[in-house]
Amino acid sequence: MNGAYGDVYRAKALMNVPDGQSIFFNWIVSQKGSQFLPLKTVSPPNGRPEGPSGLVIQGQALDCIKIQSTINLCLITAALLEMHQKNL
């Protein structure tokens, strides 16, 4: 991660995904690998998740515009969400 968006020291997130799961993500520059931990609670998928999702990035000389642009590319439209949830 270091370099593309600045000097990232840590990134952590709590993400609610379209299938009803919640996932905790943790990455620290001094540790090998990343953690992706599914949380035990699963909400039935029906529209956008109601719980909050969040992302925290700590570092130096971060390029916030590039970070936001990358996040925006990962978001799904309401139509795509509906299509995905019909298949569950």
Side-chain angles (χ1 to χ4, degrees), residues 36-55:
F36 291 93
L37 305 171
L39 302 178
K40 293 183 182 187
T41 58
V42 177
S43 302
N46 186 11
R48 295 224 176 256
E50 291 184 20
S53 291
L55 171 66

Side-chain angles (χ1 to χ4, degrees), residues 10-70:
R10 182 173 188 192
K12 62 182 179 177
L14 173 63
M15 296 292 165
N16 296 301
V17 292
D19 66 0
Q21 294 186 74
S22 294
I23 298 173
F24 174 74
F25 163 78
N26 188 37
W27 179 86
I28 301 173
V29 70
S30 62
Q31 294 182 355
K32 193 174 190 176
S34 301
Q35 290 177 307
F36 291 93
L37 305 171
L39 302 178
K40 293 183 182 187
T41 58
V42 177
S43 302
N46 186 11
R48 295 224 176 256
E50 291 184 20
S53 291
L55 171 66
V56 175
I57 301 172
Q58 296 172 314
Q60 184 174 341
L62 298 176
D63 189 335
C64 298
I65 293 172
K66 281 186 182 177
I67 293 169
Q68 184 65 54
S69 176
T70 300

